Amino acid sequence: GVTHSAVQWWQITTNGTMVQAGRINDDASVEFCAFPSLSVNRFNDVLIGYSMFSTNYYASAAYAFRSFNDPENTFRTPYIYHYGEGRYYKTFQRGRNRWGDYSATWTDPANDMDFWTIQEAAAPHVGDGQTDGNGRWATWWAKFNVTVPGNDYFTNSYQISGSSGSTNGTTERALREAGEPNHAGNSNGASMWYNWTPPSAGNVILDT
């Protein structure tokens, strides 16, 4: 009774509480997802790399991304970064195609921000592609760059007067700038503010 396969994922706290969960899935059963691996960066973004199968294309390498501020229990539209190039028929005399030995996804160690994933895809087959053993596989890399605000090193900072103020800006993926002061005693804080409403008295520095 199985009609298709899907990638299922969970976010669970260290004490075992489930925060959110979901599936990367085609309800129409045209595309099949399997053999996933995932990684989470310092912003709590997630990338899942996996294989995709369909009657419309050969076994292919794909990934799906979730930003930390996307709606809960969701991933963005899957992306096939390398389509398969041939039939894959190779059972190793075990009665069914063997697939999925290689799937890995991780954050770039240089910044703990961008993602790398390596997945399998069908390579061009040999012969007619319909004889057991004709199938060939390959692994393909992909890099996913996470968008972050530009760093202007305070060239656009403003000093304003007032005892209180408000902002409708954001610190989304803000990076700490060289020379940036501690925020409320937090040595790891970072600021990236914009579209602020100036207060009426006092001195505050906002970095845009």
Side-chain angles (χ1 to χ4, degrees), residues 159-165 198-205:
Q159 182 166 313
I160 58 179
S161 298
S163 58
S164 64
S200 57
N203 291 318
V204 180
I205 293 179

Side-chain angles (χ1 to χ4, degrees), residues 53-74:
F53 312 90
S54 174
T55 56
N56 297 327
Y57 51 78
Y58 301 120
S60 301
Y63 61 71
F65 174 72
R66 170 181 165 77
S67 173
F68 73 95
N69 58 358
D70 282 344
E72 287 191 353
N73 309 308
T74 64

